[in-house]
């Protein structure tokens, strides 16, 4: 076992890894159509959500961002649909959490867009697939399955860990571990 010199807490914390943390909401209707927002600063569709602020947890981030970007309130009880671990385009580790958002009726819902977005639309994961990056399309499909009664997955780069090939290490697997395919 490697020993580590004891450091003052502030110095130890300063040396810890920095991770971008983001949270979003899966606003949906009874037909499992998902609300995405079109960015006003580019041609992209995204969930209501964003980066977490100091002092809040990721659920609070989803609640705040959803309200700021749509005027919609989140459900009272947090329900996690997916966690995705990856690298931000700038190379910084990033964790993305997707929470079950409000169930809405697309024909009557009143959406109050922030200046970050210029439009919103409700479509199925299949309908969104050609309009969004492939990683986002995978998460939309996975989260829809969770909404229909599946289990909350931990993803890596928008893919199930069980679907990710890993080199064999010769170490014994823990009970219930999934073999790489």
């Amino acid at each position: 076992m490697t020993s580590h010199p004891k450091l003052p807490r502030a110095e130890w914390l300063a040396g810890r890894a920095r991770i971008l943390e983001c949270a979003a909401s899966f606003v949906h209707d009874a037909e499992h159509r998902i609300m995405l927002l079109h960015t006003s600063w580019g041609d992209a569709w995204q969930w209501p959500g964003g980066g977490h602020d100091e002092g809040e947890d990721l659920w609070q981030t989803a609640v705040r961002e959803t309200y700021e970007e749509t005027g919609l309130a989140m459900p009272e009880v947090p329900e996690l649909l997916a966690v995705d671990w990856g690298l931000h385009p700038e190379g910084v580790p990033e964790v993305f959490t997707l929470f079950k958002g409000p169930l809405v009726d697309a024909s009557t819902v009143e959406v109050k867009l922030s200046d970050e977005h210029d439009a919103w639309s409700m479509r199925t994961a299949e309908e969104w697939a050609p309009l969004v990056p492939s990683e986002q399309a995978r998460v939309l499909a996975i989260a829809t399955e969770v909404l229909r009664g599946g289990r909350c997955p931990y993803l890596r780069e928008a893919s199930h860990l069980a679907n990710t090939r890993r080199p064999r290490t010769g170490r014994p697997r823990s009970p219930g571990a999934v073999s790489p395919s």
Side-chain angles (χ1 to χ4, degrees):
M1 190 176 252
T2 307
S3 63
H4 298 283
K6 295 209 177 226
L7 299 173
R9 180 108 176 124
E11 189 176 336
W12 177 79
L13 285 172
R16 301 295 300 160
R18 299 290 179 235
I19 301 170
L20 292 175
E21 298 164 320
C22 304
S25 66
F26 194 89
V27 179
H28 60 286
D29 68 10
E31 288 80 42
H32 294 105
R33 291 180 298 177
I34 307 128
M35 178 185 289
L36 294 185
L37 311 176
H38 188 264
T39 60
S40 57
W41 42 266
D43 188 20
W45 289 94
Q46 56 185 210
W47 287 278
H52 108 287
D53 287 345
E54 179 101 19
E56 66 185 8
D57 66 32
L58 292 170
W59 168 248
Q60 292 167 324
T61 299
V63 169
R64 176 183 53 76
E65 288 282 346
T66 300
Y67 184 77
E68 287 176 3
E69 295 180 356
T70 66
L72 300 174
M74 290 290 281
E76 290 292 319
V77 178
E79 189 172 336
L80 191 59
L81 295 181
V83 176
D84 190 10
W85 175 265
L87 285 178
H88 187 272
E90 296 171 354
V92 178
E94 179 176 49
V95 64
F96 171 77
T97 53
L98 184 60
F99 290 95
K100 181 178 178 182
L103 175 65
V104 299
D105 179 340
S107 65
T108 61
V109 67
E110 291 186 33
V111 178
K112 298 175 186 142
L113 294 175
S114 70
D115 59 357
E116 294 179 52
H117 302 96
D118 55 20
W120 64 275
S121 184
M122 303 274 301
R123 301 175 188 188
T124 65
E126 295 81 15
E127 292 169 331
W128 279 119
L131 304 173
V132 298
S134 60
E135 296 84 6
Q136 187 178 5
R138 284 195 301 272
V139 175
L140 280 164
I142 291 165
T144 299
E145 287 306 311
V146 174
L147 192 65
R148 289 181 174 144
R151 296 184 329 186
C152 176
Y154 176 80
L155 309 173
R156 182 180 300 137
E157 302 287 343
S159 295
H160 288 285
L161 288 174
N163 296 338
T164 304
R165 278 206 155 306
R166 291 199 219 159
R168 296 193 184 262
T169 61
R171 291 182 293 179
R173 293 183 303 139
S174 60
V178 177
S179 297
S181 16

